[in-house]
Amino acid sequence: MKKIIVIPGDGIGKEVTASAVEVLKKIDAKFNLGLEFEERDAGGTAYDKFGEPLPAETLDACKAADAVLFGAVGGKQWDNLPVDKRPEKALFGLRKGLGLYGNLRPVKVYDALIDGSPLKPELVSGSDLLIVRELVGGIYFGPRREAEIVDGVERAYDTEIYSVPEIERIVKLGFDSARKRRKKLTSVDKANVLASSRLWRRVVNDMAKNYPDVEVNHLYVDNAAMQLAVNPKQFDVIVTGNMFGDILSDEASVIGGSIGLMPSASIGELTSFYEPIHGSAPDIAGKNIANPMGTILSAAMLLRYSLNAENAAQAIEAAVDKTLADGYRTADIYQDGFKKIGTKEATEIICARL
């Protein structure tokens, strides 16, 4: 059996994870994967029940699981809690506790939704890329100082630090991902200015010797940001550090025109973690409005990266493609002339196309 921990979290998290589990159960029946599901609490709902956003029992269950499927956390009712009790602390605790070192964010432009992209159709059509972001190092985790007075002047600082093993680990994930796709890796840094980026670039070039079948090129982060807007089709896999990856993945997420379809995976030392990139959207929770496709596509990534069930993953992705091609739209991507559906209807239609 393969144990999947399901953490609905807050807001629309319960609805979209329920949809993804329904799809996974259908795919399990088709491919005989032996999936077993166990639900746990985290986020604001966990605080309301247990006084903690991440109960120890939830983290322990995740550590012992084959994969974790996550919904979303947060809501206004928890905004005034102490920082260490806020729902978002559950995410940081899970990242640290599971050793989630690499974030994978695929960006695919669906032909059926191309008019929703802010870019011209001829620029964006056919775009299909994967951003591999280092998740536990760099400037977000380096030494820092909050505001202080030095010689009568207030200042603050954050420090970018990367070690060779940290870089090797994430770059290997980038190369391995490229080898499974179109065999092109773009490493993004700021080596003309930053010492940490010069080390990063050297490690990439050294590791490239082990991947002669993968084409490697380097871009400065400012150029990479521009290229994502003017020619996203040139990219296959982008690998980069924590801060650059944070910025570029958010930029890339709008290329396809809908954040509701964006899945992600965080690869860990103990187990891996799968979630849509949208928030908890508490204003539409329980109204059968939320788009479950980002979570369903995250479930496809779970099958691909944690269970090595590529055929099953592709079946889910094809079912989502077919649903969109047939003109079905949830509220967030609806346009006149299409068939408007809710969360439950979208799930049923995707299951029917598996």
Side-chain angles (χ1 to χ4, degrees), residues 107-183:
V107 179
K108 179 180 178 180
V109 176
Y110 294 87
D111 289 341
L113 298 177
I114 199 164
D115 289 339
S117 175
L119 301 182
K120 294 178 180 178
E122 61 269 24
L123 294 180
V124 76
S125 177
S127 296
D128 182 1
L129 62 103
L130 176 69
I131 296 179
V132 180
R133 168 193 171 191
E134 200 284 325
L135 204 56
V136 294
I139 198 167
Y140 292 169
F141 291 87
R144 68 185 56 195
R145 172 74 70 177
E146 298 294 334
E148 63 177 359
I149 305 296
V150 177
D151 296 330
V153 177
E154 188 174 17
R155 71 176 190 181
Y157 64 81
D158 302 273
T159 309
E160 170 97 346
I161 297 177
Y162 270 117
S163 67
V164 169
E166 286 176 315
I167 301 171
E168 287 178 334
R169 180 171 62 176
I170 192 66
V171 170
K172 182 180 187 300
L173 182 59
F175 271 110
D176 289 341
S177 298
R179 181 170 272 175
K180 294 175 182 177
R181 290 170 50 94
R182 302 191 304 277
K183 297 181 171 59

Side-chain angles (χ1 to χ4, degrees), residues 198-216:
R198 288 189 285 276
L199 178 64
W200 180 285
R201 184 171 292 207
R202 176 161 60 82
V203 171
V204 172
N205 287 333
D206 288 344
M207 189 167 289
K209 299 169 186 176
N210 299 323
Y211 295 85
D213 55 324
V214 177
E215 176 189 347
V216 179

Side-chain angles (χ1 to χ4, degrees), residues 149-351:
I149 305 296
V150 177
D151 296 330
V153 177
E154 188 174 17
R155 71 176 190 181
Y157 64 81
D158 302 273
T159 309
E160 170 97 346
I161 297 177
Y162 270 117
S163 67
V164 169
E166 286 176 315
I167 301 171
E168 287 178 334
R169 180 171 62 176
I170 192 66
V171 170
K172 182 180 187 300
L173 182 59
F175 271 110
D176 289 341
S177 298
R179 181 170 272 175
K180 294 175 182 177
R181 290 170 50 94
R182 302 191 304 277
K183 297 181 171 59
K184 181 179 180 180
L185 182 77
T186 300
S187 176
V188 174
D189 59 37
K190 193 64 176 171
N192 57 334
V193 175
L194 301 177
S196 57
S197 281
R198 288 189 285 276
L199 178 64
W200 180 285
R201 184 171 292 207
R202 176 161 60 82
V203 171
V204 172
N205 287 333
D206 288 344
M207 189 167 289
K209 299 169 186 176
N210 299 323
Y211 295 85
D213 55 324
V214 177
E215 176 189 347
V216 179
N217 69 315
H218 301 272
L219 287 180
Y220 296 142
V221 63
D222 41 357
N223 188 23
M226 180 181 69
Q227 293 298 323
L228 276 171
V230 300
N231 185 17
K233 287 187 283 190
Q234 70 183 282
F235 295 109
D236 179 19
V237 175
I238 295 173
V239 64
T240 190
N242 204 343
M243 182 171 67
F244 296 159
D246 189 3
I247 296 166
L248 292 178
S249 60
D250 282 349
E251 179 193 5
S253 69
V254 304
I255 290 174
S258 174
I259 199 171
L261 270 74
M262 294 290 295
S264 75
S266 295
I267 306 302
E269 297 169 340
L270 297 177
T271 191
S272 295
F273 182 92
Y274 302 87
E275 61 175 328
I277 71 167
H278 60 66
S280 60
D283 55 317
I284 63 170
K287 298 180 180 180
N288 193 38
I289 295 174
N291 187 344
M293 296 182 197
T295 315
I296 290 169
L297 291 169
S298 296
M301 295 186 77
L302 182 157
L303 296 175
R304 173 172 293 119
Y305 291 102
S306 284
L307 303 186
N308 294 314
E310 180 63 26
N311 290 340
Q314 289 183 9
I316 291 177
E317 291 164 349
V320 172
D321 282 352
K322 186 68 165 59
T323 298
L324 294 171
D326 288 344
Y328 293 101
R329 302 287 187 270
T330 49
D332 58 313
I333 54 175
Y334 177 73
Q335 294 177 322
D336 288 343
F338 291 92
K339 307 165 191 174
K340 193 171 186 179
I341 54 174
T343 311
K344 294 178 181 177
E345 292 81 8
T347 307
E348 292 168 358
I349 291 167
I350 290 169
C351 282

